[in-house]
Amino acid sequence: MTQAQSRTYVTTTTNRGAVAFLNDAATVGYDAKIDALKLLLEQTPPSKSKLNTKLQQNHDINKRQANSIIAYVEGAVKSAKVCRRNHLEQLQGKLKHTTEVQPEFRKENQSTLRLPTSRRTGEPREKEESSQVPQA
C-alpha cells in the first residue's frame, strides 16, 4: 500500500475512573446547589460563612467548592429577580398602552362592534345551557 492509499484509524480511550469521578461530583454539586438555594431563600438567610460551613459538612466538599456553589446560586437568584422586575415593567407598559388605546379604538369602531344576535328575535343572544357540554 502506498502512502496515498494508507488508512488511519482514530481510537478513543476513556479513563473510566475520571468519568465516574465527574459523574459523582456533578451529583454532589447539584444537591449542594439545591440546599444552598433553599437556605438563601429563607426569611433570614444565614451569613455566607455559615452557609459555606453547612455545605461543607452536609456534602463533604471543600471550601473552594462551597464558595463556587454559593456564588453560582447567588448569581442565579439575582438574575431571576432582575428578570422578574424587567418583565413586570414590560407588562406595566403594555397595560398602560392598552388603556390609552382602548377608548380610541372603541370610538373608531363603535359601528362595527356588534354582539351576536339571535336569528329569530334579533336581540342579543344569551348563553343557552342546553348547547353547552356539561363539565364534570
Side-chain angles (χ1 to χ4, degrees):
M1 213 182 254
T2 64
Q3 191 170 5
Q5 296 175 339
S6 67
R7 296 181 184 176
T8 58
Y9 296 96
V10 177
T11 58
T12 304
T13 58
T14 311
N15 185 344
R16 293 174 194 229
V19 171
F21 170 76
L22 292 173
N23 285 334
D24 290 343
T27 304
V28 169
Y30 180 76
D31 293 340
K33 286 177 190 174
I34 291 173
D35 286 348
L37 180 63
K38 287 178 182 177
L39 291 169
L40 284 173
L41 294 179
E42 288 181 350
Q43 289 284 340
T44 55
S47 67
K48 194 168 184 177
S49 63
K50 288 182 181 179
L51 180 60
N52 191 318
T53 304
K54 284 183 182 183
L55 290 177
Q56 288 180 52
Q57 292 171 349
N58 293 343
H59 298 284
D60 294 328
I61 56 178
N62 64 31
K63 188 174 183 177
R64 180 177 285 181
Q65 291 169 327
N67 278 332
S68 173
I69 289 168
I70 292 168
Y72 175 83
V73 172
E74 284 177 341
V77 169
K78 185 176 180 180
S79 172
K81 287 179 180 178
V82 170
C83 288
R84 186 170 193 269
R85 187 186 74 230
N86 290 342
H87 183 65
L88 290 174
E89 287 175 5
Q90 288 177 355
L91 290 176
Q92 287 173 346
K94 288 179 181 181
L95 180 63
K96 181 180 177 185
H97 176 72
T98 303
T99 55
E100 290 173 356
V101 171
Q102 186 180 15
E104 296 171 9
F105 177 77
R106 284 190 177 206
K107 288 178 186 175
E108 293 172 2
N109 298 308
Q110 191 66 33
S111 61
T112 59
L113 292 176
R114 297 183 189 162
L115 296 174
T117 57
S118 171
R119 289 184 185 173
R120 285 182 278 156
T121 62
E123 296 176 5
R125 249 191 297 186
E126 295 179 14
K127 291 185 179 178
E128 299 175 8
E129 293 181 18
S130 61
S131 65
Q132 293 180 351
V133 178
Q135 296 179 358

